[in-house]
Amino acid sequence: MGKQKKTRKLKEKDRLKPKKKEKKDPSTLKEREAPQHPSCLFFQYNTQLGPLYHILVDTNFINFSIKAKLDLVQSMMDCLYAKCIPCITDCVMTEIEKLGQKYRVALRIAKDPRFERLPCTHKGTYADDCLVQRVTQHKCYIVATVDWDLKRRIRKIPGVPIMYISNHRYNIERMPDDYGAPRF
């Protein structure tokens, strides 16, 4: 019995005392954290986008372009009425290489000298995360994809247009009307 009393007293000692709530002065101003928006956005209008477009290309966009028999660079220029530089990240290139011999035409197109290679510094090779991370950091890109999940994730990022394929041609979504992108 004596041993139980000692442990009970120790437990009571070790217990934390309930914290007392501090009374707040109602006259002080309340501070709130507001998300910081980039200076390049004017409402939903991205001022960093302009002719000489940099377009981040996804793996499935290249594959569907081949199926639709579309030349990537020429079709991008036809869609936007301006010069376009397709950009491929290391993750997308790795993803195409992993697809094997069946997609060797896509690999040959991705290695075209007109395409700009963007090095990746992050860990892992999941291309969708890489594209979303790059577009979140730098809002100067248009993302070319036909992947529904990636489109859904990019739509949450303000000021980033999405290029996709429909009716055997490229279309653009969320592009300001000032630029020559047609609406269909």
Side-chain angles (χ1 to χ4, degrees):
M1 281 269 195
K3 195 174 187 180
Q4 287 179 349
K5 285 184 181 179
K6 280 186 181 179
T7 56
R8 191 177 293 154
K9 285 183 182 179
L10 286 174
K11 285 181 183 176
E12 287 176 12
K13 253 188 190 178
D14 293 338
R15 287 185 189 153
L16 293 174
K17 294 177 183 174
K19 293 183 180 178
K20 295 178 183 175
K21 293 184 180 179
E22 295 178 18
K23 293 183 179 177
K24 294 183 180 178
D25 186 19
S27 63
T28 60
L29 293 174
K30 294 180 182 178
E31 291 181 23
R32 292 187 181 155
E33 290 273 334
Q36 188 69 27
H37 292 292
S39 61
C40 66
L41 291 178
F42 180 71
F43 298 112
Q44 291 291 315
Y45 180 82
N46 190 349
T47 58
Q48 281 186 344
L49 283 174
L52 192 63
Y53 297 105
H54 293 274
I55 301 172
L56 278 175
V57 182
D58 189 26
T59 308
N60 53 24
F61 189 80
I62 296 173
N63 293 334
F64 277 83
S65 296
I66 293 167
K67 286 180 185 174
K69 297 182 180 175
L70 294 169
D71 177 36
L72 254 83
V73 179
Q74 188 59 45
S75 297
M76 286 176 181
M77 287 186 198
D78 292 344
C79 176
L80 293 170
Y81 302 129
K83 185 164 172 51
C84 301
I85 299 172
C87 303
I88 288 198
T89 62
D90 288 341
C91 293
V92 172
M93 196 62 118
T94 307
E95 197 174 85
I96 295 172
E97 288 169 355
K98 284 181 182 176
L99 291 174
Q101 280 292 5
K102 188 176 177 184
Y103 295 96
R104 64 183 176 275
V105 178
L107 184 61
R108 189 177 299 145
I109 288 172
K111 288 185 177 178
D112 190 328
R114 297 179 292 180
F115 282 48
E116 185 180 322
R117 281 292 294 270
L118 301 173
C120 294
T121 55
H122 59 85
K123 292 181 179 179
T125 57
Y126 187 55
D128 290 2
D129 289 341
C130 177
L131 294 175
V132 169
Q133 177 188 356
R134 190 170 291 270
V135 165
T136 306
Q137 290 172 350
H138 312 288
K139 300 223 185 307
C140 61
Y141 295 109
I142 297 170
V143 179
T145 185
V146 290
D147 183 11
W148 284 104
D149 292 332
L150 182 58
K151 277 185 186 180
R152 184 180 47 78
R153 287 173 66 184
I154 290 173
R155 283 185 189 119
K156 293 177 184 174
I157 305 168
V160 180
I162 301 169
M163 184 177 280
Y164 61 96
I165 302 171
S166 69
N167 298 329
H168 294 282
R169 61 181 313 222
Y170 294 166
N171 284 328
I172 196 104
E173 176 183 307
R174 293 175 24 169
M175 187 75 164
D177 294 329
D178 295 359
Y179 304 129
R183 301 273 186 255
F184 292 105

